[in-house]
Amino acid sequence: MLFNSIDFALFLPIVFVLYWFVFNKNLKLQNLFIVVVSYIFYGWWDWRFLSLILFSSFVDYFVGLGLMKQENLTKRRILLLTSILVNLGFLGFFKYYNFFLDNFISAFSFFGTEIKANSLNVILPVGISFYTFQTMSYSIDVFKKKLEPTKDFIAFCAFVSFFPQLVAGPIERATHLLPQFYIKRTFDYSKAVDGMRQILWGLFKKIVIADNCADYANTIFNNSVDYSGSTLVLGAIFFTFQIYGDFSGYSDIAIGTSRLFGFDLMRNFNFPYFSRDIAEFWRRWHISLSTWFRDYVYIPLGGSRGSTWMKVRNTFIIFVVSGFWHGANWTFIVWGALNAIYFLPLLLTNNNRNNLGTVAQGKILPSFRELSLMLLTFGLTVFAWIFFRAENIVHAVSYISEILSPSLFTIPKFTGMGNALTTIIVTVIFVFIEWQGREEQYAIAHLGVNWNRSLRFAIYYAIIFAIFWFGGSEQQFIYFQF
Amino acid sequence: MKKFLVKVVLYTLLPVVLFLFTSVVLSLSNKDIAKNYKLNKDIENIIIGDSRTQIFQDKKIKKTKNIALGSESYYYSYYKLKYIINNNRQIKTVFLGSSYHSFSDYFDQYIYESDVISNYFYILPLLDQLSLFFNPETNLCKLIKNSVIKGFNNIFSIEKSYIGKSYIHNTNKEVSEKSIKDRINFVYLNKSKVREFSKLNKDYFNKIVNLCKDENINLILLKTPTHSLHNALIPEKFKIEYREIVTINGLKVISFDGLLNDCMFLPDGDHINKIGAEILTAKLAKYINLIQ
């Protein structure tokens, strides 16, 4: 069920009340309840895929136990490999089978050999890219002895299937989330209130910003041959805000919902569009995924140590694999490679850790230099998103070619442009709110906290009103397709 | 915990109560307005249907009112017609737009599309309102916003959201093979597979037929023309189904097929332009003059 659906609006309060009033008697009961409702939540999409998550849970649970008992390095490696193969096997089959098959056939036909093979009509299970990575992190951390394997199967299943973050992250580390299932949760008023506030902001980002921008991004991208370069630039910017509102909004709802149940999830977005360079952008965008790749792929490969060639190789591997994680399309690979090209100059000149703090910290406005750097980084990101959004490479190239034509200097014009002005104004206001809250966990974390109650609630009602008044056409969360 | 729950309930209650109160007021008012909606006494003919039927210019047809509305499915046409007939007993004939596309399940998206629902929301029976409100396909935020705006508009404005009027779509486009194929893909295909029939639209079509029979009103179907290429590409099952429904119900059909030059009057192969509309309006006016 979607977070912004009436199903979830009914599901959440029922689960909340049962969790705190009925199933809080002891820890095991609390965890078991989490497992049951998480499976209901996941099964709401398609009950058939429950078998996958259950199987994945079984494999990694027993791999963990096996690693606990086994000291022989070869056997430990075999156990770890089992976990990785099972999880990546599921991912590879459901997500990448047709992609590899099609490219295999294309490659052979390029050399004059025709191969006939049937592509499969495979449905991609929602969230598979997320929970497989989450369970693999458990196996890897147990292998590295960073984490004691758990004997509590219920707690482990709860960790794997925890419903707020099951289908689109944040991809939690076992070292962070699993121990939270070992302690009975007690209700924390301020945590719950903060959670509600974060859910509200997440809904605003998704329904108002993302869904409205999606309408125009889709119109422009789906009919890009009909539009001028300036309109295509606008389309790319709309998509830039769509993907941010959509994904960070989902993460906010996931984190806020978790707090209602006494859990803390890792932060997934840290105002990435205020980054001053690409390295900073990647420290702030989809943090759970980028840190996963950093810790489990980049660092084992040698990271940024070693020769220049090693640095270049590792950087490309990490960004291309990260791009490929998003989907079985060459566009995602190109998007990843493009980000690698952006990142490499910073890495090779040791400038990739220049901007570790928050931009204009403690100040109201950025300096001219900071603003210029943010705009440049934003521009590079928007350009890369074109590949992410395009149907295929040909579409992306033709999109960019038209942008780089003289029609770039015409006034943008597209269907629904009149209504787009409202969306643009609301998005600008949204950017200001995000700017003022850039030093917080999320933009409205402390907005009005010190004001009197009436004023504070007026703000909350204004946000709720904005959600209903300015809400766009309902769109699926983008990251559900990954 | 208690403090949290009390606060959540109290502060959620305020907008919920406000919304419920507004809905009740709007529902009662709109239904009352619909029940008392009077056409001019000389109006004896009603034209009803979707965007294809909106093209008929009622100002040029005597004793006729066009209340067709874009994206209107038979589900909504039925409830609208029920109110109009009940309060305008002088009506003798209903001209209902109907063609091969009418029973394609592509129409279902318009039944649950919030912008469309909001036109009719407050004149629907309570159970239907609740069913649409809680339907997972409905965009709730948009529905609430648009139906409240249109609900108030219906109270204070002469024009009602559910009463359509003569209107021409797609005036400036040029027909092309691509535009025709795009329409076919949109109306009759779903990811390259032939669509199913819309059960809801078929059910409410039958309800309209029965309503007219019960009220002793002459029901005539209006079949607007389509481009010959468009017509050739329509999957056969929709043509067969249409003919069967017409035959089973013993309905009269005024077909405008073949009356218009493809390229000049059918911009997307499926909707008629201004000049084509004038031609068809004249033909319908002539027909009505003959029968009345």
Side-chain angles (χ1 to χ4, degrees), chain B residues 61-122:
Chain B
I61 310 174
K62 67 174 186 188
K63 299 183 183 178
T64 302
K65 174 82 179 146
N66 189 339
I67 58 169
L69 201 50
S71 309
E72 183 173 284
S73 60
Y74 292 138
Y75 173 68
Y76 295 116
S77 296
Y78 169 72
Y79 286 111
K80 184 162 95 174
L81 201 55
K82 211 172 159 192
Y83 281 114
I84 301 233
I85 288 173
N86 277 342
N87 204 37
N88 294 277
R89 309 308 291 189
Q90 76 276 18
I91 291 170
K92 290 181 182 161
T93 311
V94 168
F95 292 93
L96 178 66
S98 185
S99 187
Y100 305 133
H101 73 280
S102 302
F103 304 108
S104 164
D105 70 1
Y106 101 106
F107 242 121
D108 289 347
Q109 68 186 294
Y110 294 117
I111 294 173
Y112 302 111
E113 161 62 48
S114 305
D115 283 339
V116 175
I117 299 173
S118 56
N119 285 333
Y120 313 90
F121 189 72
Y122 288 116

Side-chain angles (χ1 to χ4, degrees), chain A residues 463-476:
Chain A
I463 294 173
I464 292 170
F465 176 79
I467 288 171
F468 281 97
W469 199 261
F470 297 112
S473 304
E474 194 169 303
Q475 312 276 343
Q476 166 111 312

Side-chain angles (χ1 to χ4, degrees), chain A residues 387-413:
Chain A
F387 285 92
F388 195 93
R389 174 58 180 83
E391 297 291 322
N392 48 51
I393 296 293
V394 170
H395 183 208
V397 169
S398 74
Y399 196 100
I400 292 164
S401 303
E402 189 55 37
I403 287 176
L404 300 175
S405 72
S407 67
L408 176 63
F409 304 103
T410 57
I411 294 171
K413 197 177 169 188

Side-chain angles (χ1 to χ4, degrees), chain B residues 171-237:
Chain B
T171 47
N172 296 321
K173 284 189 183 176
E174 278 183 26
V175 69
S176 66
E177 196 174 318
K178 184 185 179 302
S179 66
I180 290 172
K181 284 182 175 171
D182 285 347
R183 277 307 287 176
I184 291 286
N185 284 338
F186 179 61
V187 175
Y188 297 103
L189 303 175
N190 184 10
K191 292 174 190 171
S192 309
K193 278 188 181 170
V194 176
R195 284 187 176 274
E196 299 301 324
F197 297 117
S198 167
K199 187 181 179 309
L200 200 60
N201 230 22
K202 280 171 75 173
D203 287 346
Y204 278 84
F205 176 85
N206 289 329
K207 283 188 183 228
I208 291 172
V209 170
N210 291 331
L211 173 67
C212 291
K213 269 188 196 153
D214 293 342
E215 299 291 342
N216 226 7
I217 288 172
N218 198 9
L219 177 66
I220 299 175
L221 302 186
L222 288 179
K223 190 172 177 302
T224 49
T226 52
H227 193 286
S228 52
L229 176 60
H230 179 105
N231 203 46
L233 292 173
I234 294 172
E236 201 57 34
K237 82 179 208 184

Side-chain angles (χ1 to χ4, degrees), chain B residues 16-32:
Chain B
V16 167
V17 165
L18 190 64
F19 170 68
L20 283 173
F21 176 75
T22 307
S23 287
V24 167
V25 166
L26 286 175
S27 234
L28 292 173
S29 309
N30 275 261
K31 282 192 172 75
D32 191 55

